[in-house]
Every structure is written in structure tokens, then in C-alpha cells.
Amino acid sequence: MPTSLPALAFGGDYNPEQWPAAAHREDRELMREAGVDLVTLAVFSWAWLQPRPGAWEFGWLDEQMDDLHAAGIKVDLATATASPPPWLTHRHPEMLPVTQDGRTLWPGGRQSFCPSSPVYREHALELCTRMAERYHDHPALALWHVSNELGCHNARCYCDTSAAAFRTWLRARYDDDVARLNDAWGTAFWSQRYDDFAQVLPPRVAPTHANPTQQLDFARFSSDQLLDNFVVERDVLHRLSPGVPVTTNFMVMRQTPQMDYLRWGRELDVVSNDHYLIGEEDGGHRELAFSADLTRGTADGRPWLLMEHSTSAVNWQPRNRAKLPGEMIRNSLSHVAHGADAVLFFQWRASRAGAEKFHSGLLPHAGTDTRQWREVVELSRVLDAAEEAAGSTARNQAAILFDYEAWWACELDSHPSIDVRYRDRAEDLHRALSARGVGVDVVHPSTDLSSYRLVVVPTLYLVDDAAVASLTAAAEAGATVVITYFSGIVDESDHIRLGGYPGAFRDLLGVRATEFLPLLSGQSVVVEGLGSDPVTADTWAEDLELAGAEAVATYADGPAAGLPAVTRRAVGEGTAWYVATRLDPAGTDRLVERLVDETGVETLPGAADLVEVTRRVGEDASWLFVINHGEAPAPVDVHGRELVTGRDVAGDLRVPPGGVAVVRESARPAGREA
Ligand code: GAL
């Protein structure tokens, strides 16, 4: 009988094929010492399981499964289809991915396959089937792990096979009617009219800007093709290994917009995510917090698994910063604070050879007499102490709407300004809300918004009518809706919503702009009205007129001098705000301060710029997580039992600099909370 997942799982990718048998025995002893209870096995094992066509060698994996089971360690078993072996690409070079400018991506790295390749799929499904048949009832099996980071290196393939698959996808989208495709793609422009689907290609490198809707549809198609690779393997696993959950690891991070994870999440039994900090960036913990909330959004609010992060440096950034003492524990707890029920790492033992030999692991090259190892053991203790919070989740009153399609469309070429970056506003507003203790759900625009008091809509360039109606209904019913610049500009086909900007949201917001006035590189403008002294803004301005809204803040200079920069309009029982420029951090903070005051949205105690506070709520209890990223102790007014130290607190919790705390809250005094 397969087993269940550990409550707050701890462990990582385990690649025993890279090491001799003596190391395996040591691995299991040290895993026990570190409290590892879940490992991900066989991710890159295809060439070991099927060394040549028709030859299967499962003996070594049988042994690993049995030995791990005997050591009390559960297994997240990969289907091993992530990286095809050299014999396969050698026989079938037509399965290799091709870039936009026609270069073949040759084997020698990993993920050398076109996501639409029937040859790849046939062989991958054979392997997946054999894995499922062999291990479906193994007692160590807790989870199936399809492929690995689908689309990490091969998200968009432009080969002839992809072109044919793209045409099939387009025929389905446009009801086999090329006239509908012509309408959607606006092909009256530049003589692009197609007479037959056979003439359509992926947006390969062209003399100048490719058709934007062609690019957008290709992004949708590419995401769907990769998802399909997951779905076909998942279906095999569901058939042959019923009852065992199936996942694939997402890459919800700023650098990876290619997969529409908010849609993908619906297909997974349990969502898992890989997250890596950009080590050279200041305040990476804020990007981490946003990504973790977005991951919870992909899981529709349910707990999810942190499948990979790093104990310290990675190997793939230009300069790979080692984590500071305590940083790995803070990162780990932060993921748990935002809904993770597992803290796993890439990888168990740092490799000796290969491209990732300088990537940190749970067990470093230098062995166990290291600060890194001691921190790993300490993290395991902290997770054990907090284990009772597993299964709980957030119940927040504020939401940020997020949409991968809007991201793709917003960042296409030939737009008013290359400085409009989609995730930028979302992360900044998330940061400002978090610093005031407002818990935030990051959700797709199709989400039911009726339980939110505050709904923030950053740069939702592309929006469908249903989302506009849902936001309008939320405002009418009493919510405060805040929309930022370059939102509501186009429909799903990337066609302008006519009549003035911000097209789809003009009526809700009571404003109208006739022209964008993007700011130049390095240019900033002064904005007055948000508090007693002025703030600055950059990137964007508009010649905005009021059409029912009031001006809250106005530009003091720049191309929109004297015009409204921030507006507010009463709508039914609620309010709609428009923020027409990119406020600096101080301006964003003032805006958020006012929104928090006006909406009365719940705020968690102790939160500050460098003090992250979240609450997870279970059936009979709630847990307050505090992560102190600062250099001063963080006082928190919370009552209950602090699980990391095992002490009771009565309004007097002080989290040390760089420390973490998890408090099981005693019943809150009546009236203290909305
Ligand atoms: C992930 C991948 C792992 C490992 C890791 C290194 O993208 O899934 O296999 O390469 O990055 O940071």
C-alpha cells in the first residue's frame, strides 16, 4: 500500500545514481539525523532506467525504494521523463526544440525535447506507464512527480512539428474558420490576411514586429502544450496508481512567466512550487512572499508543497551569493507562513560533477561539520515544532488580481513604454500591504471576489468582460477596488477597447484619458495630495479627465501637470480607485495606509517593513507566523503558545533579529477582530 504525505514534509531531491553505494548508506543515516521524511527520486534517471531502446533496468531503483522505506523515508517518485537520454535524441533528432530564430537546441544539457513532439510523448508515456506499473503499490510511495519544471528550458519551440500543432490548436480556438482567426489577429493590418490555416506559422523571427495576437496565441498554445504533457502522464498515473496524488513542480518566480500556472493548478492533485531567490537583489524575501501567495492562488487557496529551494547559493546566476546565517530558515518558514505544507530542497547531497556541482545542497561538499548542516538540522526541528499547522490555510480580506495572459500581453513589443513591467506593481502593492499586516490572496480575475473588502488590480492590461463585471459587482456590494495604470486597455484578442482609456474600467472608475504620457528613462514627477508632503512617481502618466470621480492626488509637474494622478469614486456600497502613475515606495505606502483606514481591512499584529506576519487558520485553531528580516527585535502583541521556543506568550512576544516564531493563538478576545 502506498503511504500518505508527511504533515510538514522536509527533504529534497535525491539523486543516488550520482554516488557509489557507500554514499547511499551514509545518506540514509544522515537523512535520519536531519529528520528528512520525504525525498524526490528519479527526476533525471531516464538514461539509467532505460539505457538503450527496449532495455529496462529497475533493479537499482527497487533497491532505493526499499531502503528508503526501511529508513522511514517517504518518496515523491518522479516519472523520470524530464530529460530524454542521448540514444533517443540520437535516433530522433526531429524531437529537438528549435528557437525563434531557427537554431536547434542540441542534447548535452537537459529537457532536449519539443513539447509537441509525438516521438517524445510516445517514449515518455511508455516510461511513465512502466514506472506506474512497477511502483504503484510500493509502501514508500507518497506522491507522483510528473516530469520536472515543465517548460524550464523548452517552453516555446518554433520547429515544424510545433507549427503543425499550433495550427491544430488555432483551428480549435477559431472553430476551423480562418476568417475568425483573421478578425482576432487583426490581419487587415500590414497585408497579413490568411487564406488558409496551412499558411499560419509560429511567430518566428520576422523582419519587424510580429503580429501581437499571433504572439499572444502562441504563448497560450505553448502553455497548453506543456500542460498537456502533464495531463497525459497524470491520466496514466491515475489509472494505474489510483489514490496516489500527482503533482508537477511549478516555477512561480518573477523570471518565469511562460506557463499559465493559475490555470494549470486546476489540473494538479496537489500544487508544488520551486522558488529561487535572485541572490544579488535586495529584499528578495518580498518577492518570495509574493510568489508564495501566488502559488497559494494556483492551488485555489489550499496548502501546497515547496518542492525546491536552496540551502544557500545556486550555480546559475552571474554571481551566486551564499545565504546569510538564518536566511535559509527564514526563507523556509516564509513559504510555510504563506501556505506551504512541505519544505524541500534541490538537492540532498551537493553534486561532485556536472553543471550543478557548485549548487548548495542539504549536505554540503564540506560535510556535516558546517554551519550549513547545523542550520539544516535546526530547520528540521523548527518544522517539527510547527507541524500542527499543516493543513491550515489563509483567510484573507484583501486580494490582488493576477493573470498570466495579461502578463504576456502587457509585455509584448511596440507598446507605449518598455518600463511597464507586469509583476512590478503587483509586488510593490503586495509589499506595502504586507508591511501593514494585511494578508493578501493573489488570485485569477475569474475568482469569486465576494468575500474581499479590498481588491487590488495592478496593470491588468488585458481583461475580459466577465472580470470587469465581477469587479464592478464587488465594488457595488461594498468592496474597495483599486486599479492601476495600463489596465483594461484591450480585450482577449489584444484589440483596443475604444472610447478612451482605461477602456474597460472607465465607467467603474469615472475617469477618461485620451492619451498616454509615458515618462522618459530617469524622469520622475511630483505628485501632491497623498499626505502632507509630496511624493514622486515615474514610468507613466496620462491626460486624465474626471468623469464622476474625484481627484485624490494631482501631478505638480511633468507632462500631466495639474491633472489627476489618483482618483476615487463612490460606487454602490463601495469605492473604485484609479492610480494613473507608478508611485514611488513612499507614495504607495501612503496610498495603502489610506486604503487600510478606509476599508477597515483586518491587519495582523507586529507587521512592519522588515517583519513579515501571516496567519494560517485551521478548523479549531489559528497560527500566527512572524519572520523577522530586520536587525532589531520585533515586538508582537499576540497571545498563545510560541511553538519554536515552546513558551507561552501574552502580548509580549519579541522575535529576535533574523528569527522566526509560530504562535498557536489562544482564543481572541471578542470584538478584537472583524
Ligand atoms: C531547478 C531544477 C533542479 C535544479 C535547480 C537548481 O530549476 O528543477 O533540477 O536544476 O533548479 O537551482
Side-chain angles (χ1 to χ4, degrees):
M1 276 290 286
T3 180
S4 55
L5 281 164
L8 256 192
F10 174 61
D13 278 36
Y14 182 39
N15 297 306
E17 61 270 45
Q18 295 178 15
W19 297 93
H24 302 162
R25 274 189 299 280
E26 189 190 45
D27 286 338
R28 289 188 298 276
E29 276 159 30
L30 292 177
M31 283 181 189
R32 211 168 325 179
E33 180 180 323
V36 165
D37 52 19
L38 183 70
V39 296
T40 303
L41 199 57
V43 172
F44 296 110
S45 302
W46 192 341
W48 287 84
L49 294 167
Q50 191 184 12
R52 63 199 69 85
W56 298 95
E57 292 185 3
F58 286 107
W60 69 272
L61 188 55
D62 294 351
E63 222 171 273
Q64 285 297 334
M65 292 290 284
D66 293 348
D67 290 348
L68 287 164
H69 178 60
I73 297 162
K74 303 183 178 198
V75 175
D76 163 34
L77 185 58
T79 55
T81 57
S83 204
W87 62 258
L88 182 55
T89 47
H90 180 72
R91 280 192 158 193
H92 293 286
E94 75 279 12
M95 68 179 267
L96 295 171
V98 172
T99 61
Q100 194 172 17
D101 59 356
R103 278 180 304 126
T104 298
L105 298 177
W106 295 97
R110 62 177 174 185
Q111 264 186 359
S112 307
F113 64 91
C114 156
S116 302
S117 164
V119 176
Y120 166 77
R121 183 166 292 190
E122 182 196 325
H123 285 82
L125 283 183
E126 185 181 4
L127 174 56
C128 173
T129 304
R130 285 182 184 257
M131 292 289 281
E133 284 169 349
R134 193 162 189 102
Y135 298 109
H136 67 98
D137 59 357
H138 196 284
L141 177 68
L143 179 67
W144 283 109
H145 183 109
V146 168
S147 192
N148 191 65
E149 291 189 344
L150 283 157
C152 182
H153 312 292
N154 60 353
R156 303 213 177 140
C157 175
Y158 297 79
C159 74
D160 290 343
T161 304
S162 297
F166 184 39
R167 288 189 285 271
T168 304
W169 184 93
L170 289 167
R171 281 181 188 275
R173 182 172 176 91
Y174 296 111
D175 297 333
D176 221 359
D177 180 355
V178 80
R180 291 199 51 199
L181 176 138
N182 279 312
D183 280 350
W185 287 19
T187 57
F189 181 79
W190 279 356
S191 182
Q192 290 174 349
R193 183 178 173 280
Y194 294 95
D195 194 43
D196 193 301
F197 278 95
Q199 298 152 4
V200 180
L201 290 168
R204 293 175 176 160
V205 172
T208 184
H209 308 292
N211 180 302
T213 318
Q214 177 190 14
Q215 295 189 62
L216 180 58
D217 272 350
F218 191 66
R220 290 172 170 139
F221 154 79
S222 300
S223 175
D224 285 359
Q225 287 299 98
L226 289 161
L227 176 59
D228 210 44
N229 279 301
F230 167 77
V231 167
V232 291
E233 288 198 32
R234 179 206 62 193
D235 290 350
V236 168
L237 297 166
H238 279 173
R239 182 162 51 81
L240 298 176
S241 183
V244 179
V246 182
T247 192
T248 187
N249 41 346
F250 291 175
M251 297 171 283
V252 176
M253 293 178 248
R254 194 186 297 151
Q255 318 79 288
T256 46
Q258 297 92 340
M259 279 66 66
D260 186 348
Y261 290 133
L262 284 160
R263 288 183 202 279
W264 284 37
R266 301 169 196 162
E267 300 289 342
L268 274 62
D269 297 330
V270 54
V271 161
S272 60
N273 193 48
D274 298 351
H275 186 272
Y276 290 95
L277 293 175
I278 299 300
E280 289 191 85
E281 218 169 66
D282 271 351
H285 61 271
R286 301 193 177 102
E287 189 278 327
L288 184 160
F290 179 82
S291 288
D293 278 342
L294 173 54
T295 305
R296 196 178 65 255
T298 70
D300 202 19
R302 283 168 299 162
W304 50 278
L305 313 175
L306 177 64
M307 185 59 79
E308 287 181 25
H309 70 153
S310 64
T311 52
S312 190
V314 299
N315 63 297
W316 44 264
Q317 295 172 18
R319 284 159 294 273
N320 294 292
R321 177 174 80 70
K323 289 191 180 173
L324 300 169
E327 188 178 357
M328 181 275 285
I329 294 183
R330 288 194 296 283
N331 292 165
S332 301
L333 253 278
S334 187
H335 285 290
V336 177
H338 293 273
D341 269 6
V343 176
L344 309 174
F345 292 82
F346 179 84
Q347 61 179 330
W348 160 250
R349 193 187 267 270
S351 293
R352 202 176 166 194
E356 292 181 329
K357 60 183 174 297
F358 293 116
H359 194 292
S360 57
L362 289 155
L363 180 58
H365 291 150
T368 53
D369 186 12
T370 49
R371 171 179 68 78
Q372 293 91 320
W373 177 259
R374 286 185 279 277
E375 284 200 27
V376 162
V377 175
E378 170 61 6
L379 170 63
S380 174
R381 188 194 69 76
V382 170
L383 292 175
D384 283 347
E387 193 177 75
E388 60 177 56
S392 62
T393 190
R395 288 213 198 123
N396 292 319
Q397 297 177 349
I400 289 181
L401 296 200
F402 195 85
D403 182 18
Y404 282 88
E405 292 202 8
W407 189 352
W408 299 332
C410 169
E411 295 190 3
L412 286 173
D413 55 88
S414 28
H415 275 197
S417 170
I418 59 163
D419 296 328
V420 177
R421 308 299 297 174
Y422 180 68
R423 248 182 81 141
D424 174 293
R425 280 297 76 190
E427 277 184 36
D428 207 37
L429 285 153
H430 183 269
R431 173 199 61 76
L433 287 160
S434 304
R436 293 192 176 269
V438 179
V440 181
D441 293 344
V442 182
V443 298
H444 190 262
S446 62
T447 304
D448 175 4
L449 302 174
S450 56
S451 64
Y452 294 111
R453 287 184 175 210
L454 176 61
V455 182
V456 179
V457 186
T459 319
L460 196 64
Y461 165 73
L462 176 151
V463 66
D464 63 18
D465 294 344
V468 178
S470 154
L471 281 161
T472 307
E476 274 163 2
T480 294
V481 172
V482 185
I483 298 177
T484 78
Y485 59 92
F486 214 43
S487 287
I489 304 301
V490 298
D491 64 14
E492 304 96 300
S493 298
D494 198 26
H495 293 197
I496 300 284
R497 292 175 173 274
L498 300 174
Y501 314 119
F505 295 123
R506 268 194 332 264
D507 292 346
L508 170 61
L509 298 170
V511 295
R512 176 170 178 269
T514 52
E515 198 167 22
F516 301 135
L517 306 172
L519 302 180
L520 305 184
S521 173
Q523 185 181 11
S524 72
V525 293
V526 173
V527 172
E528 288 170 336
L530 287 170
S532 46
D533 38 299
V535 296
T536 64
D538 60 22
T539 305
W540 197 258
E542 309 177 345
D543 67 342
L544 198 67
E545 295 162 6
L546 300 176
E550 56 174 306
V552 173
T554 311
Y555 300 97
D557 59 7
L563 297 179
V566 180
T567 68
R568 181 180 181 283
R569 172 175 175 250
V571 182
E573 304 289 305
T575 315
W577 289 69
Y578 184 50
V579 185
T581 187
R582 198 176 90 115
L583 294 169
D584 67 7
T588 306
D589 286 341
R590 298 232 191 109
L591 172 73
V592 164
E593 181 181 12
R594 188 148 167 206
L595 293 170
V596 169
D597 282 354
E598 267 193 32
T599 57
V601 66
E602 180 188 5
T603 55
L604 299 171
D609 197 29
L610 291 172
V611 184
E612 190 177 340
V613 182
T614 70
R615 177 178 284 141
R616 288 181 62 159
V617 182
E619 270 176 30
D620 315 306
S622 63
W623 294 267
L624 197 78
F625 287 75
V626 185
I627 296 128
N628 186 357
H629 300 281
E631 289 175 4
V636 187
D637 178 9
V638 57
H639 295 246
R641 168 152 285 235
E642 202 288 303
L643 302 173
V644 178
T645 56
R647 292 207 194 102
D648 288 334
V649 289
D652 56 352
L653 175 67
R654 277 171 82 79
V655 183
V660 299
V662 183
V663 180
R664 183 200 315 126
E665 298 176 285
S666 41
R668 286 181 289 278
R672 193 164 143 208
E673 209 160 275

